[in-house]
Amino acid sequence: MTIITSRFERRSERRAGREDTESSGGTRKLGVTRKLSTRRSDRHRGEPWRDWAAIGLLNHGQMLLVALIAPSWPYLLLAALPLSLTFATGTLTILHDAGHHRFARKVWPNVFATQTAIPLGFFVQHWTLKHRVHHRSSQVFPIDEPTRNTTVRMHQGIERKPIHRYQHLYAWFLYAFAWVGELDSQITYVRKGNIVGLEVPPFRVRLGQWLFEKAFWAVVIAPYVYLLGAGKFALYFMVAMSLGAVQAAVVLVVGHINEGLYAPSEQPAPKDWSRHLVATTASFNTTSLPMRWLTGGMTHHLAHHLKPVAPRYQLPQLHDTVVAKVVKASGLPHVEYPTLTAATVSHYRRLRELGQTDGGPPVVTGPTAS
């Protein structure tokens, strides 16, 4: 197994920095002006805090209204539908921004933003580490956590079992319980500190972080539990959380598990990193502003991976400049869908392919590429 160390990251960043600073006539090598700089000192804090306020207001406004009205069971289930949408949007936006420390360089503002705007019980400090590995080793088996899933075969490195033959049918149901898998991942991390290639805090620190964030979450939802009652709130909350999990999971999986994307089983060399991202990342709905907001910018998934801390409003420009030139230089097609529906249908076909065949040949993007 390849271990991705901070030394690799520093080499990659230095190489990327050299390429970006080569300019001609005031324009960067990839055609991006200095206005699109995504240095750590320029994280555009206003955008994430604006979205934090909007999404937090939507989530808490709905939960407070339901808690005060205390509707009967059928109407309670109906009320969970719009909450699931704002939960999903918050997960894709607020949690994702917190993972990139876009609210602040320090940890606690990112924890505060997540736990207050989307009180779903996330363990932000753990998720941040997992997401850092994802960006360093996107879709590299078995380093990137999603590639290790054995219930739904999402990588050709996983042994194919008879049950996988039907995964294109049952995966959608399992997406609703992604929060169960996330909780299991949190507990495993607290117990074992199992983050590949990164230094993690000692057990007592991990446990303290987990308990603190869970206590913070409990304080945030306590008023709604008190007003609505534990039973009704649990039903309302879990239905909204499960439906929201499906929506968020679909947006995320179509960006990496799709037709035409064949992930490798080894870490690519730094010089092949951009080509690796083209080979493993898809985009969709790149002209829709509402969809870009609802998905936290995941419509421009490749642009995000190439410039991880770029603000969402810059993604269309990055798509037309950086993405276009990197794709051209890679010699690979850019997998892009006109709509989320089209991307989802293609994801369905890819799941069927992975479940019924070896999954297709992986794209070789590492040092052995010819």
Side-chain angles (χ1 to χ4, degrees):
M1 178 184 299
T2 303
I3 302 298
I4 309 306
T5 64
S6 58
R7 181 179 299 175
F8 170 80
E9 183 182 42
R10 288 195 297 269
R11 287 201 306 266
S12 300
E13 289 177 349
R14 285 198 298 268
R15 180 181 179 85
R18 288 195 302 270
E19 291 177 351
D20 282 350
T21 53
E22 292 179 13
S23 60
S24 175
T27 303
R28 290 175 184 248
K29 182 178 180 180
L30 292 179
V32 183
T33 63
R34 293 183 181 277
K35 184 178 179 181
L36 293 178
S37 170
T38 55
R39 294 182 303 235
R40 291 185 180 274
S41 60
D42 184 20
R43 288 175 180 266
H44 305 272
R45 307 291 186 193
E47 182 184 70
W49 284 112
R50 179 203 65 198
D51 291 342
W52 165 82
I55 292 170
L57 181 62
L58 288 170
N59 282 329
H60 287 285
Q62 291 181 79
M63 289 191 291
L64 180 60
L65 185 62
V66 168
L68 292 175
I69 295 176
S72 59
W73 299 98
Y75 293 104
L76 192 66
L77 294 177
L78 287 176
L81 295 177
L83 184 62
S84 71
L85 176 61
T86 52
F87 272 174
T89 299
T91 301
L92 295 167
T93 303
I94 306 302
L95 178 63
H96 190 225
D97 283 349
H100 286 285
H101 283 198
R102 291 198 65 217
F103 292 99
R105 292 186 180 184
K106 293 183 178 179
V107 171
W108 70 263
N110 296 282
V111 172
F112 170 84
T114 301
Q115 301 297 352
T116 53
I118 43 166
L120 287 169
F122 287 113
F123 185 8
V124 180
Q125 295 176 85
H126 165 238
W127 192 88
T128 298
L129 294 176
K130 288 201 303 181
H131 198 62
R132 189 179 303 169
V133 172
H134 171 67
H135 271 272
R136 291 181 179 184
S137 307
S138 178
Q139 296 306 111
V140 176
F141 173 80
I143 301 174
D144 198 4
E145 185 177 83
T147 67
R148 301 195 296 269
N149 192 319
T150 57
T151 308
V152 179
R153 185 174 184 252
M154 294 188 176
H155 193 283
Q156 58 267 22
I158 293 293
E159 179 186 358
R160 184 161 52 89
K161 300 178 180 179
I163 187 63
H164 292 146
R165 185 174 184 83
Y166 307 102
Q167 68 176 15
H168 58 291
L169 302 176
Y170 68 71
W172 315 95
F173 174 78
L174 294 182
Y175 290 163
F177 295 96
W179 59 271
V180 177
E182 173 60 24
L183 181 59
D184 178 69
S185 179
Q186 293 176 18
I187 294 173
T188 302
Y189 165 72
V190 171
R191 290 175 53 241
K192 300 180 179 180
N194 59 330
I195 300 293
V196 176
L198 293 179
E199 291 186 14
V200 298
F203 170 75
R204 60 181 179 79
V205 175
R206 298 196 304 271
L207 179 62
Q209 292 172 342
W210 186 74
L211 292 174
F212 171 77
E213 293 203 34
K214 293 301 180 186
F216 193 163
W217 166 72
V219 169
V220 172
I221 67 167
Y224 307 117
V225 176
Y226 174 77
L227 291 171
L228 192 58
K232 277 193 169 183
F233 180 81
L235 176 65
Y236 172 59
F237 185 82
M238 291 186 70
V239 169
M241 180 168 59
S242 297
L243 293 176
V246 175
Q247 298 168 53
V250 167
V251 169
L252 293 173
V253 295
V254 300
H256 290 298
I257 316 299
N258 231 312
E259 293 178 297
L261 303 178
Y262 299 101
S265 296
E266 61 179 22
Q267 184 73 21
K271 66 183 179 64
D272 295 315
W273 184 247
S274 295
R275 191 171 189 267
H276 167 80
L277 293 178
V278 175
T280 59
T281 313
S283 303
F284 62 91
N285 271 102
T286 55
T287 60
S288 172
L289 175 59
M291 187 61 73
R292 188 168 79 240
W293 189 83
L294 287 170
T295 62
M298 291 298 98
T299 49
H300 297 74
H301 212 137
L302 180 53
H304 168 68
H305 269 274
L306 289 168
K307 297 287 184 179
V309 295
R312 282 176 287 281
Y313 73 84
Q314 285 185 356
L315 292 176
Q317 189 175 354
L318 287 168
H319 181 79
D320 293 337
T321 54
V322 171
V323 170
K325 296 198 175 186
V326 166
V327 168
K328 183 178 180 180
S330 72
L332 298 172
H334 179 199
V335 178
E336 182 178 343
Y337 298 93
T339 64
L340 177 58
T341 300
T344 304
V345 171
S346 186
H347 172 66
Y348 167 89
R349 291 196 293 259
R350 177 59 175 157
L351 284 180
R352 184 172 58 188
E353 180 184 21
L354 284 165
Q356 298 180 1
T357 70
D358 288 338
V363 172
V364 180
T365 59
T368 58
S370 57

